[in-house]
Amino acid sequence: MKIHFLGSAASEGIPNPFCRCEHCQQARSLKGKDLRTHSSAIIDDVMLIDVAPEFSQQLLRDGLDASGFTDLLFTHTHPDHFNVGELFSRMEGYGFDIDHPLEIFGNDRAINGCAAVLPGYSKQRFGFHCLVPFVTVESHGYKITPLLANHAKWELCYVYVIEKDGQTIFYGHDSGWFPELTWQWLQGKALDLVVLECTYGFNGDDRTDNHMSLETVFAAQEKLRAMECLHSGSQIVVSHISHSGKLLHEELVAACRDKNITVAYDGLTINVA
């Protein structure tokens, strides 16, 4: 499997269009990997995770289109992840030469939110699947397991384990230190690629709620190792990066180097070992 990071920023993007902090001003000047659009990723060019506000521009930037996507996973319904209005362009009469439905997975709020903006949708264009935590479903050869995130107070937010052909990706956005039930499910599960987030940068807390700090990321890495989830070829990537963390791309790379953790940027593609 492989993962392609369409976007690597937290909810404000980098730069935040309304912000003149030093980080945002430097990002405007440096450009390159320090310009970050909202978080989203594609597995194997067919499975989209979340739809960012810049979705169409992300695809154009990376020379992609969405016509071949077979599956869409929503982590939760915060607006930086749930730009569901984009799906209307796949409705009959708007998108042409489409020969398969897009299978959409998420919590009840995500599924109802999709249905609300797609009145009169046909089964030839969309299939909807309301997920239950820790219950594995299958689609197009993938096994998909939603685990509980530590994020929004009034919504069941999901992180995902995605498996195919003996390889496993753990996608851990958005979440602070994972709930105990999620840790229990992961015990002994071999993970080839782990995607975590570092919204808070360094903040001195290795058990953060809602989002992760770098200290929490490093502690999660050690816990996954102790739980025998990581092997010699396992890769860990951090994304969902915020200007409030006050670390530019190369500063994040330096902070993660000794931990052998990769820092994502927009357009990065990683193959699972």
Side-chain angles (χ1 to χ4, degrees):
M1 288 196 289
K2 70 175 181 179
I3 186 168
H4 180 125
F5 290 88
L6 283 178
S8 59
S11 62
E12 310 98 318
I14 300 178
N16 175 341
F18 295 100
C19 183
R20 291 182 178 176
C21 75
E22 182 179 359
H23 187 138
C24 287
Q25 296 288 55
Q26 286 181 297
R28 291 183 179 103
S29 175
L30 291 169
K31 298 182 171 59
K33 294 175 183 177
D34 284 298
L35 297 181
R36 300 181 183 275
T37 58
H38 293 91
S39 178
S40 176
I42 309 170
I43 306 294
D44 294 338
D45 299 324
V46 296
M47 179 179 287
L48 178 65
I49 305 177
D50 290 335
V51 183
E54 307 94 339
F55 177 66
S56 293
Q57 292 302 312
Q58 289 172 333
L59 295 178
L60 286 171
R61 181 199 66 211
D62 292 349
L64 304 171
D65 67 64
S67 61
F69 294 174
T70 58
D71 299 274
L72 168 57
L73 312 183
F74 282 114
T75 58
H76 62 303
T77 62
H78 287 171
D80 53 320
H81 297 260
F82 195 64
N83 179 21
V84 69
E86 292 279 3
L87 297 178
F88 198 89
S89 297
R90 206 180 194 277
M91 292 276 281
E92 289 174 331
Y94 291 86
F96 303 101
D97 299 322
I98 296 173
D99 60 4
H100 64 277
L102 179 66
E103 305 297 338
I104 301 177
F105 300 84
N107 63 26
D108 58 338
R109 292 183 67 169
I111 297 307
N112 282 307
C114 289
V117 300
L118 301 172
Y121 73 88
S122 74
K123 293 182 179 180
Q124 288 70 42
R125 294 299 174 98
F126 299 100
F128 294 109
H129 310 270
C130 190
L131 297 176
V132 176
F134 309 108
V135 176
T136 302
V137 298
E138 296 191 23
S139 183
H140 299 105
Y142 293 89
K143 290 183 178 179
I144 304 162
T145 308
L147 310 182
L148 288 175
N150 168 9
H151 193 47
K153 187 175 182 179
W154 303 116
E155 179 177 0
L156 285 179
C157 300
Y158 293 148
V159 293
Y160 285 100
V161 171
I162 302 163
E163 304 170 81
K164 187 178 184 184
D165 298 334
Q167 296 180 325
T168 304
I169 293 175
F170 174 61
Y171 190 85
H173 293 178
D174 289 14
S175 182
W177 186 256
F178 300 119
E180 185 58 30
L181 287 174
T182 293
W183 287 120
Q184 289 177 13
W185 192 96
L186 288 170
Q187 177 71 48
K189 183 73 172 179
L191 304 174
D192 300 296
L193 178 65
V194 176
V195 180
L196 300 175
E197 60 136 280
C198 59
T199 305
Y200 296 147
F202 284 114
N203 74 353
D205 185 355
D206 66 0
R207 294 293 188 276
T208 50
D209 289 321
N210 196 41
H211 290 289
M212 287 193 176
S213 65
L214 280 168
E215 291 94 339
T216 305
V217 168
F218 299 156
Q221 180 186 34
E222 291 306 310
K223 186 171 179 69
L224 289 170
R225 184 176 290 119
M227 291 167 50
E228 300 183 343
C229 297
L230 304 180
H231 55 78
S232 60
S234 296
Q235 302 178 73
I236 298 180
V237 186
V238 289
S239 186
H240 203 273
I241 294 156
S242 173
H243 69 132
S244 62
K246 301 179 181 179
L247 293 171
L248 296 167
H249 180 78
E250 290 303 323
E251 293 171 327
L252 277 168
V253 169
C256 293
R257 184 175 292 118
D258 289 345
K259 301 291 186 179
N260 197 30
I261 293 174
T262 299
V263 179
Y265 54 85
D266 288 19
L268 173 66
T269 297
I270 294 178
N271 292 303
V272 176

